[in-house]
Amino acid sequence: MKNECLNCACVMKSMQALKSCQLEQLESNHAIVQFQKGDPIIKQGMFSTNVVFLKRGLVKIHIAGPYHEQIVRLAKAPTYLGLPTTIGDKINQYSVTAVQDSEVCFIDLNIFKRVLEENKDFSSYIILELCKSELESYRRCANRTQKQTRGNLADVLLDLSENVFESTEFVLPISQSDLGNLVDASRESVNRLLSELMNDGIIRMEGRKIEILNKYSLQLISQNG
Amino acid sequence: MKNECLNCACVMKSMQALKSCQLEQLESNHAIVQFQKGDPIIKQGMFSTNVVFLKRGLVKIHIAGPYHEQIVRLAKAPTYLGLPTTIGDKINQYSVTAVQDSEVCFIDLNIFKRVLEENKDFSSYIILELCKSELESYRRCANRTQKQTRGNLADVLLDLSENVFESTEFVLPISQSDLGNLVDASRESVNRLLSELMNDGIIRMEGRKIEILNKYSLQLISQNG
DNA sequence: TCGAAAAAGTGATACATATCACAAAATATT
DNA sequence: AATATTTTGTGATATGTATCACTTTTTCGA
């Protein structure tokens, strides 16, 4: 009987493979669940007792701000989800929702913590990831607040193209309203700015299908106001 | 010969005391340095090879945004400084500057990492801190971007009063210009809003000395626009 | 397949806040 | 003590974006 965890990125990403006894602990205390586009995976305000690992798919990480929902970022598989909110607080401090059909592995928090304690390399890896992720969150926040919407929108389009879909042509995984929540703007502003980008021949849009025609212009817009 | 680290909050904060051999490792690989108000402690863009622990004083953590410097937050002793930027990247991704005379302990990163690996409780503690800090940074970002300046300014004043100085009367540790960098507003706006708070009898100001006259009003302003 | 709900498109208007341009005050610096 | 530099105070103006109010289109569920 082969151990399912053995080839899972959850483990692979931690450079040093876990010992087989640790693998077994994970194996017997995890659950793999399928989620459909739109399904909530982690819900802010609920108890969290599981570490969540995204095996396949794309999700949005979002938090209830003082006035509206803010999308912190999109995350694509393979990656841990909600490590901070699972370890940092018994109650989820943010939500995670599938924006594409996704496959998720739930790992019992206590087991995860035990493996973390038993395996130095694994815990070093997790500490490193947490540090990087916090750095990233500082940078994101500085950009969001200082750039104006046009620049942030350009950033999102570039990120989707380069990192998420790795193509100049892709289908927007979220609504314009959510795009607004991701760049701290209203749905209407996003719409107007997208139209503008179309009129300027920088992108082509048909429904949610987007093609980036002029990446260089987008980069300029991202950098300047 | 007593070990200086023994009673330092750097160690104390990690619930379980370190073993004496670990204490000795820290003892022989740390350096305590005094900083004056205005002195840079960590500089963005420079190599980082030390974990930094703030023993005494008050600092600002700031990052160069696309257009101007942004103050991520103020941090008061005792606390680790720049764990994410020290562990997460060889090059500092943000700066830390003393805003009051401060005392800082530099610990060699390799030693720190070794102790981290050798002591489960310590590494659990650090992981927990990192998670909490990331949660906090999400929350802060959502507030900053969604609230308008008046509310953010009220937040800062409340935070200074309640958490930093623990008094309704205190001396502003930073300039109005920096206050602007902390609430994502221009120096002029901050100035006008402070005047407004004075005229409304919510605070009293004489130079940088501030007294909060009506905490409840400030809380209201923090919550509403 | 039809009706309802959600998403997208677009004009008019309002407003918070940036920016510019100075003057006055307070702090450093030599 | 004298001078330079930083900080603060305040008006006038410009502008990016939110908000409101509607229509059209697309998507979804019964």
Side-chain angles (χ1 to χ4, degrees), chain A residues 33-43 54 56-62 74-75 81 95-104 173-174 178:
Chain A
V33 183
Q34 310 291 325
F35 288 91
Q36 294 193 326
K37 186 175 149 75
D39 288 346
I41 297 173
I42 293 177
K43 269 185 85 78
L54 182 65
R56 185 176 52 79
L58 186 67
V59 303
K60 61 176 175 182
I61 295 171
H62 49 118
L74 299 178
L81 290 177
S95 303
V96 177
T97 304
V99 298
Q100 281 184 354
D101 293 357
S102 298
E103 188 175 84
V104 167
I174 55 177
D178 260 2

Side-chain angles (χ1 to χ4, degrees), chain A residues 42-48 85-86 90-94:
Chain A
I42 293 177
K43 269 185 85 78
Q44 184 168 0
M46 310 229 63
F47 267 105
S48 70
T85 204
T86 309
K90 286 188 182 153
I91 292 172
N92 285 319
Q93 297 299 303
Y94 55 79

